[in-house]
Amino acid sequence: MQQVTPSVFTSTTIRGCNPSYVVTSDGVVVIDTPQLPTKAVDMRRKAEEHGTIRYVINTEHHVDHIFGNYFFKGAGHVVHHKGVYDNFMVPTPDLDPFDYAIETIPTDDPEGASLVPDRDVYYKDPNKGELVFAGDLELRVGKHTFVLIHTPGHTPGQTAVYVPEERVVFTGD
């Protein structure tokens, strides 16, 4: 994870998205989770070194933004737009998100193979959103504001996360 501001950490080297977290005076807010199991476990460990994870926010439903939620069970409330919730790990005729996530592990994360449960166990609780919103949402965590702005286009539930106190926005894709 690279430190962007004194409170913002992100990764630009993980396959698919730029999973990030923001350290606040009242815990940590995670934005997107890595697809690769060892990266997800490592990110959770690093985030928890800064405090309790209060929220895990997903910016879209594509597997590279949500598959790692499984490894964040019990770490804060999962938040996403209804469009993310409705499409969360849903197989389609064109793509099975579980198979897509698994196919990268032998080449991109061989150490992660032992961390991934089989399909049935994963789908029993993939750590889908418990705080689901339509439109926009504002969360206050400590002295930080998280403005979740619905920005459909790339996906129906696409969300940007603006943190004015840090002068940063997380756009997903």
Side-chain angles (χ1 to χ4, degrees):
M1 302 297 290
Q2 298 94 24
Q3 190 168 4
V4 178
T5 74
S7 300
V8 175
F9 298 81
T10 193
S11 177
T12 58
T13 62
I14 295 178
R15 182 180 202 263
C17 76
N18 299 326
S20 306
Y21 59 87
V22 179
V23 178
T24 78
S25 59
D26 192 27
V28 179
V29 175
V30 171
I31 297 103
D32 288 331
T33 59
Q35 175 180 341
L36 301 173
T38 59
K39 301 293 186 186
V41 169
D42 186 53
M43 179 181 172
R44 179 177 177 168
R45 180 188 57 76
K46 287 179 180 172
E48 288 177 332
E49 288 174 359
H50 297 280
T52 302
I53 296 174
R54 297 282 312 280
Y55 294 101
V56 174
I57 301 169
N58 298 121
T59 62
E60 65 170 73
H61 75 271
H62 288 161
V63 71
D64 54 324
H65 297 257
I66 65 170
F67 189 75
N69 280 27
Y70 182 87
F71 304 100
F72 280 78
K73 286 182 185 181
H77 300 284
V78 179
V79 181
H80 41 242
H81 188 274
K82 185 177 182 325
V84 176
Y85 185 87
D86 291 345
N87 294 288
F88 195 96
M89 292 299 291
V90 174
T92 67
D94 296 326
L95 179 70
D96 181 311
F98 187 84
D99 288 347
Y100 180 80
I102 299 305
E103 76 182 23
T104 64
I105 291 174
T107 55
D108 294 2
D109 191 15
E111 300 82 22
S114 65
L115 300 174
V116 179
D118 67 30
R119 175 188 292 276
D120 292 338
V121 171
Y122 182 90
Y123 274 103
K124 281 183 184 171
D125 181 13
N127 204 17
K128 191 174 178 178
E130 54 190 305
L131 176 55
V132 179
F133 64 97
D136 300 339
L137 176 69
E138 185 173 302
L139 300 170
R140 294 277 308 162
V141 183
K143 297 176 183 170
H144 284 79
T145 310
F146 294 81
V147 183
L148 285 64
I149 306 164
H150 183 219
T151 56
H154 178 62
T155 65
Q158 195 75 36
T159 302
V161 181
Y162 174 50
V163 186
E165 295 82 4
E166 297 297 328
R167 299 179 57 185
V168 298
V169 63
F170 302 92
T171 58
D173 282 352

